[in-house]
């Protein structure tokens, strides 16, 4: 066990591996911040769009539509994965998520007053952009980048950073919404996704 630990620490001393590990950790952290935060907060967002409802079947179908909207993104990611380099797909995913959050934040006030249906459509577009690429690549890149001797350890560290990101997104979003606005949540998500693009 001591030999394995010393081997691992010596490999981490390699600047190239160190840089890649930090990059993978930051990317997985960023993705999980906005992915988990938005997924867990989707019922609240739908309440804002459609109003509070005691109609359980209606709430159910709204949530089903939101989940179904991400299906094309998941299929598209799998299809593109064999044709694009993984890092390119991840960069495209983070850039798309950044654009989606900025679009939603900037149109929210206008569409909330004028077209709830339009707001729902923009929200579905944003969810599609959020799920494309990064949900797949954040788990694949660590397996591609690291030598076999440290692959599982580096993958575990990157995944742990993702779980921290999931906690941050789930915990912070309600406070940002209550203290500022829903648009502030979306602008914050855009900033986090932009950081993921830079880290990629």
């Amino acid at each position: 066990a001591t030999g394995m630990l010393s081997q691992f620490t010596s490999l981490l001393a390699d600047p190239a591996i160190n840089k890649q590990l930090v990059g993978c950790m930051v990317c997985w952290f960023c993705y999980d911040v906005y992915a988990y935060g938005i997924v867990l907060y989707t019922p609240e967002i739908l309440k804002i769009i459609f109003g509070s409802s005691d109609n359980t079947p209606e709430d159910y179908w709204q949530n089903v539509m939101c989940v179904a909207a991400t299906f094309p993104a998941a299929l598209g990611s799998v299809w593109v994965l064999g044709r694009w380099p993984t890092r390119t797909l991840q960069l495209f995913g983070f850039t798309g998520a950044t654009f989606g959050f900025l679009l939603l934040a900037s149109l929210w006030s206008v569409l909330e007053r004028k077209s709830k249906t339009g707001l729902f459509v923009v929200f579905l577009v944003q969810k599609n952009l959020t799920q494309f690429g990064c949900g797949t690549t954040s788990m694949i890149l660590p397996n591609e980048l690291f030598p076999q001797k440290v692959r599982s350890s580096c993958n575990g560290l990157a995944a742990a950073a993702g779980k921290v990101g999931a906690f941050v997104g789930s915990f912070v979003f309600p406070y940002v919404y209550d203290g500022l606005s829903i648009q502030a949540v979306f602008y914050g998500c855009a900033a986090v996704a932009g950081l993921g693009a830079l880290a990629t």
Side-chain angles (χ1 to χ4, degrees):
T2 308
M4 287 176 64
L5 182 61
S6 63
Q7 189 178 52
F8 179 66
T9 52
S10 66
L11 278 168
L12 283 184
D14 181 339
I17 291 178
N18 211 350
K19 182 180 178 182
Q20 289 173 337
L21 178 59
V22 170
C24 286
M25 290 175 72
V26 170
C27 288
W28 208 329
F29 173 86
C30 289
Y31 174 72
D32 279 7
V33 165
Y34 66 78
Y36 278 81
I38 289 296
V39 165
L40 292 175
Y41 218 60
T42 292
E44 295 301 318
I45 293 169
L46 293 177
K47 274 186 191 175
I48 297 168
I49 294 174
F50 294 110
S52 185
S53 171
D54 293 328
N55 188 338
T56 302
E58 185 178 327
D59 293 343
Y60 171 80
W61 282 112
Q62 289 169 4
N63 280 282
V64 165
M65 286 180 68
C66 285
V67 173
T70 64
F71 191 66
L75 284 179
S77 295
V78 172
W79 185 79
V80 170
L81 192 57
R83 293 160 176 80
W84 292 3
T86 308
R87 189 172 286 175
T88 302
L89 177 57
Q90 180 162 294
L91 182 60
F92 191 90
F94 275 125
T95 305
T98 303
F99 171 76
F101 283 120
L102 289 174
L103 181 69
L104 187 58
S106 60
L107 294 178
W108 184 272
S109 295
V110 175
L111 291 178
E112 190 179 17
R113 290 192 310 270
K114 295 187 175 180
S115 174
K116 294 294 179 84
T117 303
L119 185 58
F120 186 53
V121 169
V122 172
F123 180 59
L124 293 182
V125 168
Q126 176 275 319
K127 285 187 72 68
N128 231 341
L129 289 169
T130 296
Q131 292 301 321
F132 182 75
C134 301
T136 306
T137 58
S138 58
M139 300 172 204
I140 293 174
L141 268 178
N143 290 301
E144 291 183 351
L145 292 174
F146 300 112
Q148 189 174 357
K149 290 178 181 178
V150 294
R151 188 173 297 151
S152 60
S153 299
C154 291
N155 207 336
L157 288 169
K163 299 312 152 239
V164 173
F167 171 78
V168 169
S170 305
F171 183 76
V172 170
F173 276 31
Y175 289 101
V176 175
Y177 171 64
D178 291 339
L180 297 170
S181 66
I182 191 67
Q183 290 100 317
V185 171
F186 298 139
Y187 282 123
C189 287
V192 171
L195 176 61
L198 288 174
T200 299

